[in-house]
Amino acid sequence: MDDKTYSVELSDGTMFENLSINGSYYVTDQEITEDIFDGNCNAVTVSDGETTSTLTNMELINIIKFGDSQWGFALREMTPEELATMQVRSDIDYIAMMTGVEL
């Protein structure tokens, strides 16, 4: 386990501080739910107190509970292929809506 303390800020300004890392998970004493991340991962800022990185197009992978009072969450960056597929799907849905076609 890493001795550093991390902070993660989501797109809407939601801040998680004093995080530790357990594998791929950021661990906190604060209760975590999926709705916190819904639509808030377009730009995620991660800091370890020395360096700060802003990651774009992030996605929540999983939330788990460690013991009785700790939660972990894992994020990943979406691939260019996933983003392109989402854009094509959005375009198709828009065209279908504008032309009255049921998909």
Side-chain angles (χ1 to χ4, degrees):
M1 187 120 91
D2 193 340
D3 289 338
K4 290 185 178 181
T5 301
Y6 296 83
S7 65
V8 172
E9 182 177 3
L10 303 180
S11 299
D12 70 349
T14 299
M15 180 72 89
F16 302 102
E17 297 181 302
N18 299 318
L19 302 172
S20 59
I21 290 194
N22 185 345
S24 299
Y25 289 88
Y26 291 102
V27 179
T28 180
D29 294 335
Q30 180 179 344
E31 184 174 356
I32 303 291
T33 59
E34 286 186 31
D35 61 314
I36 295 170
F37 297 89
D38 190 27
N40 290 323
C41 295
N42 295 331
V44 176
T45 303
V46 178
S47 176
D48 66 4
E50 296 174 13
T51 58
T52 300
S53 301
T54 299
L55 308 167
T56 58
N57 301 313
M58 300 296 285
E59 176 181 54
L60 176 67
I61 298 173
N62 194 21
I63 296 173
I64 60 174
K65 189 168 181 185
F66 295 105
D68 292 331
S69 62
Q70 290 190 319
W71 286 263
F73 63 93
L75 302 170
R76 75 173 185 93
E77 193 166 15
M78 296 176 70
T79 67
E81 292 80 15
E82 289 172 312
L83 295 171
T85 299
M86 287 173 57
Q87 182 62 52
V88 168
R89 184 66 207 174
S90 175
D91 292 346
I92 290 170
D93 289 344
Y94 177 76
I95 291 168
M97 178 193 67
M98 294 304 289
T99 59
V101 174
E102 290 288 325
L103 296 178

XYZ file of all heavy atoms in Angstrom:
802
model
N 0.852 -1.178 0.000
C 0.000 0.000 0.000
C 0.896 1.239 0.000
O 1.917 1.277 0.655
C -0.933 -0.007 1.200
C -1.933 1.096 1.157
S -3.653 0.614 1.152
C -4.137 0.569 2.799
N 0.479 2.240 -0.726
C 1.190 3.489 -0.901
C 1.017 4.374 0.336
O -0.048 4.422 0.923
C 0.579 4.164 -2.133
C 1.390 5.316 -2.656
O 2.204 5.866 -1.918
O 1.199 5.665 -3.833
N 2.083 5.083 0.736
C 1.992 5.969 1.902
C 1.490 7.368 1.555
O 1.213 8.157 2.445
C 3.359 6.086 2.577
C 3.764 4.807 3.285
O 2.869 4.007 3.616
O 4.974 4.614 3.498
N 1.384 7.678 0.276
C 0.930 9.002 -0.141
C -0.558 9.163 0.124
O -1.309 8.204 0.196
C 1.187 9.218 -1.627
C 2.638 9.364 -1.982
C 2.771 9.696 -3.446
C 4.235 9.883 -3.801
N 4.385 10.231 -5.211
N -0.962 10.419 0.256
C -2.372 10.760 0.387
C -2.792 11.467 -0.893
O -2.106 12.364 -1.365
C -2.596 11.683 1.599
O -2.146 11.014 2.759
C -4.055 12.012 1.759
N -3.922 11.064 -1.443
C -4.393 11.571 -2.719
C -5.673 12.372 -2.553
O -6.404 12.212 -1.576
C -4.673 10.403 -3.682
C -3.436 9.631 -4.031
C -2.947 8.635 -3.188
C -2.736 9.899 -5.195
C -1.800 7.930 -3.498
C -1.588 9.195 -5.525
C -1.131 8.210 -4.667
O 0.012 7.514 -4.980
N -5.937 13.209 -3.563
C -7.232 13.873 -3.658
C -7.719 13.706 -5.091
O -6.924 13.657 -6.026
C -7.153 15.355 -3.280
O -6.353 16.060 -4.204
N -9.022 13.589 -5.237
C -9.654 13.445 -6.548
C -10.799 14.444 -6.606
O -11.647 14.474 -5.715
C -10.182 12.002 -6.766
C -10.993 11.918 -8.046
C -9.039 11.000 -6.768
N -10.806 15.264 -7.658
C -11.890 16.217 -7.870
C -12.601 15.877 -9.168
O -11.973 15.735 -10.220
C -11.360 17.649 -7.947
C -12.459 18.672 -8.108
C -11.947 20.102 -8.106
O -10.731 20.318 -8.042
O -12.796 21.005 -8.177
N -13.923 15.729 -9.089
C -14.735 15.418 -10.265
C -15.119 16.693 -11.004
O -14.924 17.803 -10.507
C -15.994 14.649 -9.837
C -15.752 13.349 -9.069
C -17.086 12.699 -8.706
C -14.869 12.388 -9.842
N -15.702 16.538 -12.184
C -16.051 17.676 -13.048
C -16.944 18.700 -12.374
O -16.821 19.893 -12.624
C -16.757 17.179 -14.311
O -15.926 16.324 -15.041
N -17.855 18.253 -11.505
C -18.787 19.184 -10.864
C -18.221 19.810 -9.592
O -18.914 20.529 -8.890
C -20.120 18.497 -10.558
C -20.021 17.458 -9.455
O -18.898 17.097 -9.045
O -21.081 16.992 -8.989
N -16.955 19.536 -9.289
C -16.325 20.107 -8.107
C -16.369 19.203 -6.884
O -15.786 19.538 -5.846
N -17.040 18.058 -6.978
C -17.053 17.113 -5.864
C -15.617 16.697 -5.566
O -14.881 16.307 -6.471
C -17.891 15.860 -6.209
O -19.222 16.271 -6.474
C -17.884 14.862 -5.065
N -15.230 16.802 -4.303
C -13.851 16.551 -3.916
C -13.780 15.397 -2.926
O -14.548 15.348 -1.966
C -13.259 17.815 -3.280
C -11.832 17.675 -2.843
S -10.682 17.611 -4.201
C -10.356 19.341 -4.415
N -12.867 14.491 -3.180
C -12.535 13.421 -2.243
C -11.103 13.681 -1.799
O -10.206 13.771 -2.634
C -12.625 12.050 -2.913
C -13.972 11.737 -3.490
C -14.197 11.849 -4.848
C -15.009 11.335 -2.670
C -15.439 11.557 -5.390
C -16.257 11.046 -3.196
C -16.466 11.160 -4.559
N -10.894 13.811 -0.496
C -9.568 14.116 0.020
C -9.115 13.043 0.997
O -9.909 12.226 1.453
C -9.578 15.485 0.707
C -9.904 16.613 -0.255
C -9.905 17.976 0.406
O -10.670 18.157 1.370
O -9.133 18.827 -0.053
N -7.823 13.069 1.293
C -7.213 12.108 2.217
C -7.448 10.666 1.780
O -7.762 9.801 2.589
C -7.717 12.322 3.647
C -7.378 13.699 4.158
O -6.270 14.188 3.941
N -8.325 14.342 4.802
N -7.312 10.433 0.490
C -7.501 9.100 -0.066
C -6.204 8.308 0.005
O -5.118 8.866 -0.138
C -7.930 9.183 -1.536
C -9.192 9.962 -1.855
C -9.354 10.112 -3.364
C -10.404 9.269 -1.261
N -6.329 7.030 0.215
C -5.191 6.130 0.068
C -5.465 5.275 -1.162
O -6.553 5.329 -1.741
C -5.020 5.265 1.320
O -6.178 4.495 1.560
N -4.483 4.487 -1.563
C -4.663 3.611 -2.719
C -4.503 2.174 -2.276
O -3.592 1.835 -1.532
C -3.662 3.953 -3.841
C -4.027 5.289 -4.454
C -3.621 2.863 -4.878
C -3.355 5.597 -5.763
N -5.440 1.343 -2.744
C -5.382 -0.090 -2.510
C -5.561 -0.747 -3.868
O -6.679 -0.819 -4.383
C -6.470 -0.530 -1.533
C -6.381 -1.988 -1.174
O -5.703 -2.767 -1.827
N -7.085 -2.368 -0.120
N -4.474 -1.170 -4.488
C -4.533 -1.704 -5.850
C -4.921 -0.611 -6.817
O -4.236 0.388 -6.946
N -6.060 -0.763 -7.481
C -6.567 0.229 -8.434
C -7.594 1.155 -7.803
O -8.165 2.002 -8.487
C -7.227 -0.482 -9.625
O -6.306 -1.290 -10.290
N -7.856 0.997 -6.521
C -8.927 1.724 -5.856
C -8.402 2.883 -5.017
O -7.425 2.740 -4.290
C -9.725 0.780 -4.937
C -10.575 -0.197 -5.692
C -10.060 -1.416 -6.108
C -11.890 0.105 -6.009
C -10.834 -2.313 -6.821
C -12.675 -0.789 -6.720
C -12.140 -1.990 -7.124
O -12.905 -2.867 -7.830
N -9.107 4.011 -5.131
C -8.916 5.107 -4.188
C -9.817 4.796 -3.002
O -11.007 4.524 -3.178
C -9.321 6.446 -4.813
C -8.390 6.891 -5.909
C -8.734 6.733 -7.247
C -7.159 7.477 -5.611
C -7.881 7.142 -8.263
C -6.301 7.883 -6.620
C -6.665 7.713 -7.935
O -5.821 8.119 -8.925
N -9.274 4.840 -1.803
C -10.008 4.421 -0.613
C -10.280 5.630 0.269
O -9.402 6.458 0.519
C -9.211 3.359 0.179
C -9.962 2.933 1.420
C -8.900 2.157 -0.712
N -11.533 5.699 0.758
C -11.968 6.811 1.595
C -12.877 6.313 2.712
O -13.454 5.235 2.608
C -12.719 7.868 0.745
O -13.143 8.942 1.578
C -13.930 7.274 0.052
N -13.004 7.124 3.753
C -13.949 6.834 4.830
C -15.336 7.359 4.490
O -16.307 7.060 5.168
C -13.490 7.473 6.144
C -12.194 6.863 6.656
O -11.907 5.696 6.310
O -11.468 7.541 7.385
N -15.424 8.177 3.437
C -16.682 8.784 2.995
C -17.473 7.754 2.184
O -16.918 7.071 1.332
C -16.337 9.996 2.126
C -17.486 10.760 1.582
C -16.989 11.944 0.749
O -15.839 12.341 0.816
N -17.884 12.490 -0.043
N -18.775 7.643 2.446
C -19.602 6.713 1.683
C -19.661 7.150 0.222
O -19.845 8.322 -0.081
C -21.010 6.619 2.259
C -21.851 5.589 1.556
C -23.208 5.377 2.199
O -23.489 5.980 3.240
O -23.979 4.590 1.634
N -19.498 6.198 -0.668
C -19.470 6.463 -2.104
C -20.647 5.753 -2.768
O -20.915 4.591 -2.486
C -18.160 5.909 -2.724
C -16.926 6.505 -2.046
C -18.128 6.134 -4.219
C -16.719 7.961 -2.312
N -21.333 6.462 -3.664
C -22.400 5.858 -4.459
C -22.179 6.196 -5.935
O -21.525 7.190 -6.256
C -23.791 6.366 -4.024
O -23.825 7.790 -4.186
C -24.092 5.993 -2.575
N -22.735 5.386 -6.814
C -22.551 5.585 -8.250
C -23.078 6.925 -8.738
O -22.512 7.524 -9.657
C -23.225 4.457 -9.037
C -22.477 3.156 -8.976
C -23.081 2.089 -9.873
O -23.651 2.436 -10.931
O -22.973 0.916 -9.506
N -24.166 7.417 -8.148
C -24.761 8.671 -8.628
C -23.820 9.861 -8.454
O -23.946 10.848 -9.168
C -26.114 8.934 -7.968
C -26.037 9.080 -6.463
O -25.372 8.253 -5.825
O -26.661 10.017 -5.930
N -22.861 9.784 -7.548
C -21.879 10.858 -7.371
C -21.066 11.039 -8.657
O -20.716 12.153 -9.031
C -20.936 10.552 -6.188
C -21.711 10.542 -4.871
C -19.778 11.544 -6.127
C -20.920 10.017 -3.684
N -20.789 9.943 -9.356
C -19.929 9.964 -10.537
C -20.706 10.151 -11.839
O -20.102 10.459 -12.862
C -19.131 8.657 -10.607
C -18.197 8.480 -9.448
C -18.620 7.855 -8.283
C -16.899 8.960 -9.506
C -17.768 7.707 -7.210
C -16.038 8.818 -8.437
C -16.473 8.185 -7.289
N -22.010 9.970 -11.807
C -22.828 10.034 -13.009
C -22.721 11.405 -13.670
O -23.152 12.413 -13.115
C -24.286 9.712 -12.669
C -25.146 9.527 -13.896
O -24.600 9.141 -14.950
O -26.368 9.786 -13.811
N -22.136 11.449 -14.857
C -21.974 12.699 -15.601
C -20.889 13.606 -15.058
O -20.757 14.739 -15.517
N -20.093 13.147 -14.101
C -19.088 13.998 -13.456
C -17.657 13.551 -13.701
O -16.754 13.907 -12.949
C -19.332 14.050 -11.944
C -20.574 14.815 -11.606
O -20.877 15.814 -12.248
N -21.297 14.355 -10.622
N -17.443 12.750 -14.736
C -16.097 12.225 -14.973
C -15.476 12.737 -16.266
O -14.502 12.169 -16.756
C -16.133 10.699 -14.965
S -16.564 10.005 -13.363
N -16.027 13.811 -16.831
C -15.456 14.364 -18.062
C -14.041 14.869 -17.835
O -13.172 14.695 -18.678
C -16.327 15.482 -18.611
C -17.674 14.981 -19.054
O -17.805 13.840 -19.459
N -18.681 15.816 -18.950
N -13.820 15.513 -16.711
C -12.481 15.971 -16.330
C -12.309 15.648 -14.850
O -13.040 16.157 -14.009
C -12.328 17.463 -16.566
N -11.353 14.792 -14.549
C -11.089 14.367 -13.185
C -9.664 14.784 -12.836
O -8.721 14.450 -13.559
C -11.251 12.839 -13.024
C -10.875 12.399 -11.627
C -12.667 12.416 -13.361
N -9.521 15.537 -11.757
C -8.205 15.997 -11.329
C -7.737 15.149 -10.163
O -8.440 15.018 -9.161
C -8.259 17.480 -10.918
O -8.758 18.237 -12.026
C -6.890 17.999 -10.532
N -6.550 14.571 -10.309
C -5.967 13.707 -9.285
C -4.670 14.342 -8.813
O -3.835 14.759 -9.622
C -5.678 12.298 -9.851
C -5.037 11.419 -8.796
C -6.947 11.661 -10.389
N -4.494 14.403 -7.489
C -3.279 14.975 -6.919
C -2.748 14.078 -5.812
O -3.524 13.502 -5.045
C -3.560 16.372 -6.355
O -2.393 16.881 -5.729
N -1.425 13.972 -5.749
C -0.796 13.234 -4.653
C -0.068 14.189 -3.709
O 0.739 13.764 -2.895
C 0.153 12.164 -5.178
C 1.365 12.736 -5.909
O 1.525 13.973 -5.955
O 2.158 11.934 -6.437
N -0.354 15.469 -3.826
C 0.287 16.476 -2.998
C 1.541 17.054 -3.638
O 1.967 18.149 -3.306
N 2.131 16.325 -4.572
C 3.317 16.793 -5.285
C 3.010 17.077 -6.748
O 3.459 18.066 -7.299
C 4.438 15.759 -5.191
C 4.938 15.538 -3.776
C 5.947 14.413 -3.694
O 6.451 13.963 -4.745
O 6.231 13.966 -2.569
N 2.254 16.192 -7.369
C 1.883 16.371 -8.768
C 0.364 16.311 -8.909
O -0.314 15.608 -8.164
C 2.513 15.283 -9.671
O 2.094 14.007 -9.214
C 4.023 15.356 -9.662
N -0.114 17.069 -9.879
C -1.547 17.108 -10.162
C -1.751 16.810 -11.638
O -1.052 17.369 -12.488
C -2.128 18.493 -9.820
O -1.916 18.740 -8.432
C -3.611 18.569 -10.118
N -2.698 15.926 -11.920
C -3.017 15.568 -13.301
C -4.513 15.707 -13.518
O -5.304 15.335 -12.654
C -2.630 14.115 -13.588
O -1.268 13.914 -13.383
N -4.880 16.242 -14.677
C -6.285 16.282 -15.061
C -6.482 15.268 -16.178
O -5.837 15.344 -17.213
C -6.705 17.691 -15.514
O -6.506 18.590 -14.425
C -8.172 17.713 -15.921
N -7.359 14.317 -15.908
C -7.642 13.239 -16.846
C -9.020 13.479 -17.447
O -9.946 13.864 -16.738
C -7.592 11.900 -16.122
C -6.307 11.659 -15.319
C -6.478 10.472 -14.382
C -5.134 11.453 -16.247
N -9.156 13.239 -18.745
C -10.432 13.487 -19.408
C -11.095 12.179 -19.813
O -10.432 11.156 -19.960
C -10.243 14.371 -20.654
O -9.336 13.725 -21.542
C -9.710 15.744 -20.280
N -12.398 12.265 -20.001
C -13.205 11.128 -20.453
C -13.012 9.897 -19.570
O -12.770 8.794 -20.061
C -12.901 10.800 -21.919
C -13.171 11.975 -22.815
O -14.206 12.611 -22.705
N -12.231 12.295 -23.680
N -13.144 10.110 -18.287
C -12.989 9.024 -17.327
C -14.331 8.335 -17.112
O -15.388 8.887 -17.399
C -12.460 9.562 -15.995
C -11.108 10.237 -16.093
S -9.805 9.132 -16.594
C -9.573 8.212 -15.082
N -14.249 7.126 -16.590
C -15.442 6.333 -16.336
C -15.258 5.587 -15.017
O -14.168 5.086 -14.724
C -15.626 5.343 -17.486
C -16.769 4.387 -17.317
C -16.870 3.419 -18.487
O -15.877 2.749 -18.816
O -17.962 3.352 -19.056
N -16.318 5.530 -14.232
C -16.303 4.760 -13.000
C -16.319 3.278 -13.361
O -17.172 2.828 -14.119
C -17.521 5.097 -12.134
C -17.680 4.301 -10.850
C -16.566 4.640 -9.860
C -19.042 4.572 -10.232
N -15.359 2.530 -12.840
C -15.318 1.084 -13.085
C -16.132 0.352 -12.025
O -16.974 -0.475 -12.327
C -13.877 0.548 -13.043
C -13.033 1.171 -14.126
C -13.869 -0.970 -13.163
C -11.572 0.809 -14.034
N -15.858 0.688 -10.759
C -16.464 -0.086 -9.678
C -16.363 0.673 -8.367
O -15.493 1.515 -8.187
C -15.730 -1.428 -9.547
C -16.469 -2.424 -8.702
O -17.678 -2.314 -8.507
N -15.759 -3.410 -8.193
N -17.277 0.359 -7.466
C -17.236 0.828 -6.081
C -17.307 -0.412 -5.209
O -18.133 -1.294 -5.452
C -18.425 1.756 -5.758
C -18.354 3.018 -6.605
C -18.459 2.092 -4.268
C -19.563 3.919 -6.470
N -16.442 -0.491 -4.217
C -16.493 -1.607 -3.272
C -16.394 -1.070 -1.857
O -15.936 0.048 -1.628
C -15.383 -2.654 -3.510
C -13.999 -2.028 -3.373
C -15.532 -3.322 -4.848
C -12.871 -3.051 -3.447
N -16.847 -1.864 -0.924
C -16.769 -1.492 0.485
C -15.698 -2.361 1.148
O -15.695 -3.576 0.995
C -18.123 -1.685 1.170
C -18.166 -1.112 2.556
C -19.574 -1.061 3.096
C -19.542 -0.439 4.482
N -20.843 -0.461 5.105
N -14.779 -1.707 1.841
C -13.736 -2.380 2.600
C -14.145 -2.365 4.067
O -14.240 -1.291 4.665
C -12.385 -1.665 2.469
C -11.800 -1.676 1.091
C -11.816 -0.537 0.305
C -11.224 -2.820 0.575
C -11.263 -0.529 -0.962
C -10.666 -2.832 -0.697
C -10.689 -1.684 -1.470
N -14.406 -3.508 4.644
C -14.775 -3.560 6.053
C -16.074 -2.839 6.317
O -16.981 -2.805 5.486
N -16.162 -2.227 7.504
C -17.389 -1.553 7.916
C -17.444 -0.079 7.553
O -18.521 0.507 7.524
C -17.575 -1.681 9.435
C -17.864 -3.116 9.854
O -18.445 -3.859 9.035
O -17.496 -3.470 10.979
N -16.280 0.544 7.311
C -16.323 1.996 7.207
C -15.469 2.593 6.095
O -15.212 3.787 6.099
C -15.883 2.611 8.535
O -14.542 2.226 8.818
N -15.029 1.798 5.140
C -14.240 2.352 4.046
C -14.818 1.916 2.707
O -15.291 0.790 2.562
C -12.774 1.927 4.142
C -12.052 2.578 5.294
C -10.562 2.316 5.213
O -10.132 1.217 4.885
N -9.778 3.330 5.524
N -14.760 2.827 1.749
C -15.232 2.577 0.401
C -14.086 2.824 -0.557
O -13.238 3.693 -0.325
C -16.399 3.500 0.037
C -17.675 3.136 0.707
C -18.695 2.394 0.177
C -18.089 3.471 2.024
N -19.704 2.248 1.091
C -19.358 2.901 2.241
C -17.506 4.181 3.062
C -20.063 3.026 3.421
C -18.192 4.308 4.262
C -19.456 3.747 4.425
N -14.090 2.082 -1.638
C -13.094 2.276 -2.676
C -13.775 2.483 -4.009
O -14.830 1.921 -4.278
N -13.174 3.321 -4.838
C -13.685 3.507 -6.191
C -12.523 3.474 -7.175
O -11.418 3.904 -6.856
C -14.499 4.805 -6.328
C -13.722 6.072 -6.094
C -13.143 6.742 -7.161
C -13.594 6.604 -4.824
C -12.434 7.927 -6.951
C -12.896 7.787 -4.598
C -12.314 8.442 -5.667
N -12.800 2.920 -8.348
C -11.794 2.819 -9.398
C -12.319 3.504 -10.650
O -13.488 3.363 -11.004
C -11.472 1.356 -9.688
N -11.438 4.250 -11.290
C -11.769 4.972 -12.514
C -10.847 4.512 -13.635
O -9.762 3.997 -13.375
C -11.569 6.482 -12.303
C -12.360 7.138 -11.182
C -11.855 8.561 -10.950
C -13.833 7.150 -11.513
N -11.285 4.712 -14.859
C -10.435 4.444 -16.017
C -10.733 5.455 -17.098
O -11.821 6.032 -17.155
C -10.628 3.033 -16.538
C -11.920 2.836 -17.302
C -11.988 1.452 -17.961
N -13.175 1.332 -18.780
C -13.220 1.600 -20.077
N -12.154 1.991 -20.714
N -14.351 1.473 -20.755
N -9.766 5.657 -17.986
C -9.951 6.555 -19.113
C -10.558 5.770 -20.272
O -10.118 4.666 -20.590
C -8.610 7.158 -19.532
C -8.735 8.311 -20.467
C -7.454 9.104 -20.600
O -6.390 8.611 -20.194
O -7.525 10.222 -21.114
N -11.586 6.323 -20.877
C -12.238 5.671 -22.012
C -11.313 5.749 -23.231
O -10.605 6.732 -23.427
C -13.579 6.337 -22.301
C -14.554 6.178 -21.146
S -16.101 7.033 -21.397
C -16.814 6.022 -22.684
N -11.339 4.709 -24.046
C -10.492 4.654 -25.233
C -11.057 5.540 -26.343
O -12.262 5.825 -26.354
C -10.366 3.212 -25.761
O -11.653 2.794 -26.239
C -9.860 2.262 -24.685
N -10.218 5.946 -27.290
C -10.730 6.710 -28.434
C -11.810 5.953 -29.207
O -12.760 6.560 -29.704
C -9.485 6.927 -29.300
C -8.345 6.868 -28.336
C -8.757 5.853 -27.297
N -11.690 4.646 -29.278
C -12.686 3.838 -29.974
C -14.035 3.898 -29.261
O -15.081 3.990 -29.906
C -12.222 2.377 -30.082
C -11.031 2.170 -30.989
C -9.691 2.510 -30.330
O -9.617 2.642 -29.080
O -8.722 2.670 -31.077
N -14.021 3.843 -27.930
C -15.261 3.934 -27.163
C -15.915 5.298 -27.354
O -17.131 5.397 -27.509
C -14.995 3.696 -25.684
C -14.658 2.268 -25.341
C -14.217 2.111 -23.913
O -13.365 2.884 -23.438
O -14.742 1.183 -23.250
N -15.105 6.352 -27.355
C -15.634 7.704 -27.552
C -16.228 7.855 -28.950
O -17.294 8.456 -29.114
C -14.545 8.739 -27.313
C -14.024 8.807 -25.877
C -12.804 9.710 -25.796
C -15.108 9.282 -24.937
N -15.561 7.300 -29.969
C -16.076 7.373 -31.335
C -17.387 6.610 -31.461
O -18.335 7.082 -32.101
C -15.042 6.824 -32.317
N -17.473 5.450 -30.839
C -18.707 4.654 -30.866
C -19.849 5.411 -30.200
O -20.980 5.411 -30.708
C -18.480 3.291 -30.173
O -17.461 2.591 -30.884
C -19.753 2.469 -30.151
N -19.561 6.056 -29.076
C -20.589 6.842 -28.393
C -21.083 7.982 -29.282
O -22.280 8.265 -29.327
C -20.051 7.393 -27.074
C -19.892 6.361 -25.997
S -19.077 6.986 -24.506
C -20.127 8.348 -24.045
N -20.160 8.641 -29.987
C -20.536 9.752 -30.857
C -21.402 9.264 -32.020
O -22.421 9.872 -32.347
C -19.292 10.454 -31.402
C -19.611 11.658 -32.274
C -20.350 12.745 -31.522
O -19.910 13.175 -30.470
N -21.473 13.195 -32.054
N -21.027 8.154 -32.628
C -21.811 7.601 -33.742
C -23.203 7.218 -33.256
O -24.208 7.519 -33.908
C -21.085 6.390 -34.376
C -22.003 5.628 -35.324
C -19.827 6.844 -35.100
N -23.268 6.576 -32.098
C -24.573 6.173 -31.546
C -25.447 7.399 -31.269
O -26.647 7.409 -31.547
C -24.368 5.367 -30.260
C -25.614 4.826 -29.668
C -26.212 3.792 -30.584
N -27.647 3.747 -30.367
C -28.477 3.039 -31.067
N -28.044 2.292 -32.053
N -29.752 3.066 -30.817
N -24.834 8.433 -30.734
C -25.560 9.668 -30.457
C -26.079 10.295 -31.758
O -27.220 10.763 -31.818
C -24.651 10.650 -29.719
O -25.282 11.881 -29.536
N -25.246 10.296 -32.779
C -25.656 10.843 -34.078
C -26.820 10.052 -34.663
O -27.782 10.628 -35.185
C -24.482 10.847 -35.062
C -23.394 11.832 -34.675
O -23.634 12.704 -33.802
O -22.278 11.715 -35.230
N -26.752 8.733 -34.581
C -27.831 7.877 -35.099
C -29.125 8.139 -34.342
O -30.198 8.269 -34.942
C -27.428 6.388 -35.021
C -26.325 6.093 -36.036
C -28.639 5.481 -35.250
C -25.683 4.726 -35.878
N -29.042 8.223 -33.024
C -30.235 8.493 -32.219
C -30.850 9.844 -32.579
O -32.072 9.981 -32.659
C -29.895 8.460 -30.723
C -29.606 7.058 -30.217
O -29.950 6.073 -30.904
O -29.025 6.953 -29.112
N -30.005 10.861 -32.808
C -30.497 12.187 -33.164
C -31.205 12.158 -34.525
O -32.300 12.709 -34.676
C -29.338 13.186 -33.182
C -29.769 14.565 -33.614
C -30.473 15.384 -32.733
C -29.499 15.034 -34.889
C -30.892 16.647 -33.118
C -29.910 16.292 -35.288
C -30.598 17.096 -34.404
O -31.015 18.337 -34.794
N -30.574 11.513 -35.489
C -31.181 11.429 -36.830
C -32.509 10.687 -36.770
O -33.501 11.097 -37.377
C -30.212 10.762 -37.826
C -29.023 11.687 -38.084
C -30.920 10.418 -39.138
C -27.876 11.032 -38.820
N -32.542 9.592 -36.006
C -33.787 8.839 -35.862
C -34.874 9.680 -35.229
O -36.038 9.674 -35.669
C -33.528 7.571 -35.034
N -34.527 10.446 -34.206
C -35.501 11.298 -33.532
C -36.026 12.383 -34.497
O -37.230 12.618 -34.562
C -34.878 11.979 -32.315
C -35.832 12.912 -31.595
S -35.021 13.990 -30.403
C -34.044 15.033 -31.460
N -35.133 12.998 -35.249
C -35.520 14.082 -36.151
C -36.371 13.585 -37.320
O -37.182 14.342 -37.863
C -34.275 14.817 -36.672
C -33.520 15.554 -35.570
S -34.534 16.743 -34.660
C -34.761 17.998 -35.881
N -36.197 12.328 -37.712
C -36.959 11.802 -38.837
C -38.143 10.950 -38.405
O -38.900 10.476 -39.250
C -36.046 10.962 -39.767
O -35.474 9.892 -39.002
C -34.950 11.813 -40.374
N -38.307 10.743 -37.109
C -39.414 9.986 -36.612
C -39.264 8.482 -36.786
O -40.247 7.745 -36.763
N -38.062 8.003 -36.950
C -37.791 6.579 -37.136
C -37.613 5.922 -35.776
O -36.898 6.444 -34.926
C -36.523 6.369 -38.005
C -36.152 4.897 -38.071
C -36.706 6.958 -39.386
N -38.275 4.798 -35.582
C -38.109 4.025 -34.360
C -36.944 3.060 -34.524
O -36.858 2.351 -35.517
C -39.377 3.211 -34.058
C -40.551 4.048 -33.629
C -40.403 4.613 -32.242
O -39.836 3.951 -31.374
O -40.862 5.768 -32.032
N -36.043 3.075 -33.581
C -34.905 2.144 -33.636
C -35.162 0.932 -32.766
O -35.755 0.911 -31.792
C -33.610 2.819 -33.163
C -33.128 3.975 -34.021
C -31.871 4.572 -33.419
C -32.838 3.503 -35.426
